[in-house]
Amino acid sequence: MRTHLQVACGSHGTASTSGRRLAGWRSPAFRVQGSLARRGASGAPKASGTSHRKTMRRASVRQTCESLFSGAELVDTESKGASRQEVNVPVYVMLPLDTVFAEQETEGGSYRPVLKTPKKLNDALRKLREAGVTGVMVDVWWGIVEADAPGTYNFDAYLELLKMAALNGLKVQAVMSFHAAGGNVGDNVNIPLPDWVLRVGEGHPDIFYTDASGHRNPECLSLGCDREPVLEGRTPVSAYTDFVRAFLAAAEGYLGWTVSEVTVGLGPAGEMRYPSYPEGDGRWRFPGIGEFQCYDAYMLRDLRERAKEAGHPEWGHGGPHDSGNYTKCPWETGFFHPDTGSYKTEYGDFFLRWYSESLVDHADRVLSSVTGVVAQHCGWNRGVAIEWPGEDGTKVRRPIEDVKVGIKLAGVHWWYKSSSHAGELTAGYYNTRDRNGYEGIMEMLKRHGAVANFTAVEMRDCEQPDYAKCSPQGLLGQLQETALAVGVPLAGENALQRYDKFALDQIEHASYGGEVRGAIESCPQLKRLTFLRMGQSMFDNWDAFESFVVRMNRRSPDEAKKVLSLQNMY
């Protein structure tokens, strides 16, 4: 029998950086479907004050641990301060996209989330832990969990995964994937948005990002409708927040000791960017500059308003007319031309500021809401650990720490050595040779205490074609320097699955400060390294991967070097 948890949702009015507010409203109650026996017969906790909620959450963790480990108990530790810092850069491994997939229960019937090949997965997790891996990353798919109806969630398969990870001594970085899979590099599955969202889009296509040709992209929702009640009475921001709240409620017994981070998807591939380079449908190919994605009705309306405020209503009709198309090079356009590009004009600056700041506002709106929900589930655990007798009779202890909130930043490294950085501009990063476009992003993340996860840490400049003016190392170095200056922890991922010596050496080099000007050698400059991805290729190259993990774990910076670590930014 499936247990249902009724959770009342409150108002989700949150402020954006521009001072505008979401309309306050009350969303309908939603159901969390999952195995909640660990919470006892009382079901959901009653909201009778902060102390009661803390007591109930502590009890939930204790009951979960007791069900997993004989003799487990919660113990108070001496430290009541911030979470402990890792000595090394911990290695996580990205799980396959279809670790949880939708299985049809009966022909023509509904679908339910299922954990793929659980025995094989458990064996793989055990092997990862034996190699020294700290944790795994998994996509929690909106299109699978909330597939049937708005506000109805099924986390059964994910709870099974959390239990499996806990028993194997692994942490979990849970990615709230509010995008579709199937259209990006490395996607080998097709996971669309929830059916009920796609039905809304059929009658109201402006909820999707749109390019100058009118092509709608159903990979994710446009940030333009963040504050609009387009999802059967809910705004997208409210839908995202409700999803995170439901996940935290279902996984409450694992928070802080198994679930270490909730990474919030903010765009295509889960990254904070516009879908400016859609490779899956053939519109874009490397190293094209991409196209601006600002032609849905909501973004055009906002652009018109901003143009009027700037005293130039003629600037509000759309993006630059001479910015080329997906596959063009900068010198083939008027807007991005290295010598005469209009991106350097007053109009160009106006448009690029609006376009990039809209993206930052989107992230700010979502994080403002989500971080508040995460905070409600944490805070009680300061100075608390789980302890149980190990097989050899000694005590095993795992500290319970705050669950971090993170986002993903894309590694748009092509055209980085050009003056305009055209690929970054269309993706929403107003970063040029003369302007640091990541400082504002880092400042926003700092306000929310969030982690930035950056891709492409394995890439070297010398491996890229000269004509594309790529610099993945330059981009990573800029992000590390900016994160260090602002005080934001930075984590890294590799963009492509590689096991050659050059790629693995580059990851280690980047993880310990090699890309940052003035960095001390062996000083950890990444909060975490997430390796893409677990699968047959990894096990076919197991010796190389295991040796890499050993090297990462053996790096032991002294206390003086740790002072400059990007890990020390909480």
Side-chain angles (χ1 to χ4, degrees):
M1 179 180 297
R2 180 170 289 153
T3 304
H4 299 283
L5 173 64
Q6 298 286 341
V7 185
C9 304
S11 173
H12 301 300
T14 53
S16 71
T17 55
S18 59
R20 295 169 290 185
R21 295 186 61 86
L22 294 172
W25 67 288
R26 186 168 297 278
S27 64
F30 60 79
R31 295 185 300 172
V32 178
Q33 300 176 327
S35 302
L36 300 177
R38 67 186 185 281
R39 303 184 66 154
S42 60
K46 297 179 182 179
S48 59
T50 302
S51 60
H52 180 74
R53 287 195 297 270
K54 289 181 178 180
T55 300
M56 293 299 293
R57 283 165 185 151
R58 184 180 179 116
S60 178
V61 173
R62 186 185 66 251
Q63 291 168 15
T64 298
C65 296
E66 289 174 347
S67 71
L68 299 177
F69 308 108
S70 176
E73 59 181 346
L74 296 185
V75 297
D76 293 326
T77 62
E78 295 180 1
S79 173
K80 301 286 186 178
S83 301
R84 63 184 177 86
Q85 298 297 328
E86 300 282 356
V87 174
N88 311 100
V89 177
V91 177
Y92 281 56
V93 171
M94 200 178 300
L95 295 182
L97 294 172
D98 60 348
T99 296
V100 172
F101 69 102
E103 179 183 74
Q104 195 169 24
E105 296 184 286
T106 59
E107 186 174 353
S110 61
Y111 289 81
R112 66 185 180 95
V114 174
L115 193 62
K116 187 175 181 179
T117 58
K119 184 180 184 305
K120 184 178 179 181
L121 176 61
N122 188 64
D123 291 342
L125 295 183
R126 183 182 300 112
K127 190 169 185 177
L128 290 179
R129 185 55 186 160
E130 290 172 351
V133 169
T134 299
V136 294
M137 191 210 84
V138 65
D139 290 281
V140 183
W141 294 106
W142 189 23
I144 290 180
V145 171
E146 197 180 357
D148 292 342
T152 299
Y153 309 89
N154 188 334
F155 292 101
D156 281 350
Y158 289 101
L159 295 179
E160 186 179 353
L161 174 62
L162 292 181
K163 178 180 178 179
M164 194 178 291
L167 289 172
N168 282 290
L170 292 169
K171 295 183 179 181
V172 176
Q173 176 191 359
V175 181
M176 306 291 104
S177 294
F178 299 119
H179 64 283
N184 293 291
V185 176
D187 286 1
N188 58 355
V189 298
N190 181 36
I191 303 174
L193 296 182
D195 286 343
W196 59 271
V197 173
L198 295 177
R199 287 196 296 270
V200 171
E202 290 174 0
H204 189 43
D206 281 298
I207 66 172
F208 299 126
Y209 283 114
T210 308
D211 64 19
S213 300
H215 189 283
R216 313 282 188 176
N217 191 329
E219 184 179 353
C220 60
L221 299 184
S222 167
L223 62 81
C225 63
D226 273 355
R227 296 165 290 210
E228 305 292 335
V230 295
L231 299 180
E232 301 194 16
R234 289 188 298 171
T235 68
V237 171
S238 296
Y240 304 149
T241 306
D242 288 345
F243 186 93
V244 175
R245 180 184 289 107
F247 172 77
L248 295 173
E252 189 163 69
Y254 295 95
L255 300 181
W257 67 282
T258 299
V259 177
S260 59
E261 178 177 316
V262 171
T263 305
V264 184
L266 293 171
E271 296 168 336
M272 179 188 159
R273 65 173 174 89
Y274 294 97
S276 58
Y277 48 98
E279 185 178 42
D281 59 12
R283 282 181 291 157
W284 176 86
R285 64 177 180 270
F286 178 86
I289 57 176
E291 289 191 21
F292 293 111
Q293 307 291 309
C294 58
Y295 291 89
D296 63 80
Y298 297 108
M299 293 201 70
L300 286 175
R301 181 182 65 189
D302 191 67
L303 177 59
R304 285 194 296 270
E305 292 175 358
R306 302 288 82 76
K308 288 179 181 178
E309 292 174 2
H312 290 278
E314 69 277 11
W315 291 350
H317 299 301
H321 71 280
D322 56 352
S323 57
N325 60 38
Y326 289 105
T327 59
K328 293 294 185 182
C329 297
W331 59 83
E332 297 177 297
T333 74
F335 191 73
F336 300 114
H337 194 280
D339 298 323
T340 60
S342 53
Y343 77 91
K344 294 180 283 189
T345 65
E346 182 184 2
Y347 161 72
D349 180 64
F350 160 80
F351 176 79
L352 292 172
R353 283 183 183 274
W354 169 79
Y355 190 69
S356 61
E357 289 173 1
S358 295
L359 185 63
V360 175
D361 283 355
H362 165 63
D364 188 47
R365 281 190 291 270
V366 176
L367 290 179
S368 292
S369 192
V370 167
T371 52
V373 172
V374 173
Q376 292 171 8
H377 286 266
C378 300
W380 65 270
N381 51 8
R382 301 292 171 80
V384 178
I386 306 164
E387 195 172 82
W388 69 92
E391 294 181 357
D392 59 357
T394 60
K395 291 286 188 179
V396 178
R397 174 176 288 192
R398 292 187 197 169
I400 302 176
E401 302 173 334
D402 287 343
V403 175
K404 306 304 179 186
V405 175
I407 70 159
K408 290 190 177 188
L409 294 175
V412 187
H413 59 84
W414 50 100
W415 306 118
Y416 185 86
K417 291 181 179 179
S418 68
S419 57
S420 66
H421 294 222
E424 291 167 271
L425 297 186
T426 57
Y429 306 136
Y430 188 5
N431 190 54
T432 69
R433 183 174 292 170
D434 304 314
R435 186 181 193 275
N436 186 349
Y438 298 100
E439 187 173 10
I441 295 173
M442 294 299 177
E443 290 172 347
M444 179 272 297
L445 295 177
K446 176 70 172 179
R447 292 196 298 273
H448 296 293
V451 181
N453 296 277
F454 173 72
T455 58
V457 296
E458 87 285 8
M459 293 184 175
R460 300 185 301 160
D461 290 4
C462 63
E463 299 170 334
Q464 312 304 320
D466 290 339
Y467 69 89
K469 297 187 179 298
C470 302
S471 184
Q473 290 176 270
L475 177 57
L476 174 59
Q478 180 185 356
L479 282 165
Q480 288 183 311
E481 291 168 18
T482 304
L484 185 61
V486 175
V488 171
L490 185 70
E493 298 177 10
N494 51 314
L496 302 175
Q497 191 167 184
R498 293 174 55 181
Y499 299 93
D500 58 278
K501 182 180 185 302
F502 296 115
L504 298 180
D505 285 353
Q506 174 60 25
I507 293 174
E508 183 181 0
H509 184 65
S511 299
Y512 286 93
E515 303 300 328
V516 182
R517 286 193 295 269
I520 298 177
E521 182 64 23
S522 295
C523 169
Q525 293 303 316
L526 293 182
K527 176 67 181 175
R528 178 190 59 249
L529 184 281
T530 302
F531 195 91
L532 179 148
R533 116 176 25 248
M534 192 183 82
Q536 191 57 50
S537 180
M538 171 177 283
F539 296 116
D540 288 344
N541 293 275
W542 185 253
D543 289 346
F545 176 73
E546 186 176 34
S547 175
F548 164 74
V549 175
V550 169
R551 294 204 315 270
M552 291 286 286
N553 288 339
R554 281 181 177 172
R555 300 290 291 262
S556 184
D558 60 34
E559 291 302 316
K561 293 173 181 177
K562 285 166 62 180
V563 171
L564 293 181
S565 173
L566 279 179
Q567 293 182 346
N568 301 324
M569 292 301 172
Y570 290 115

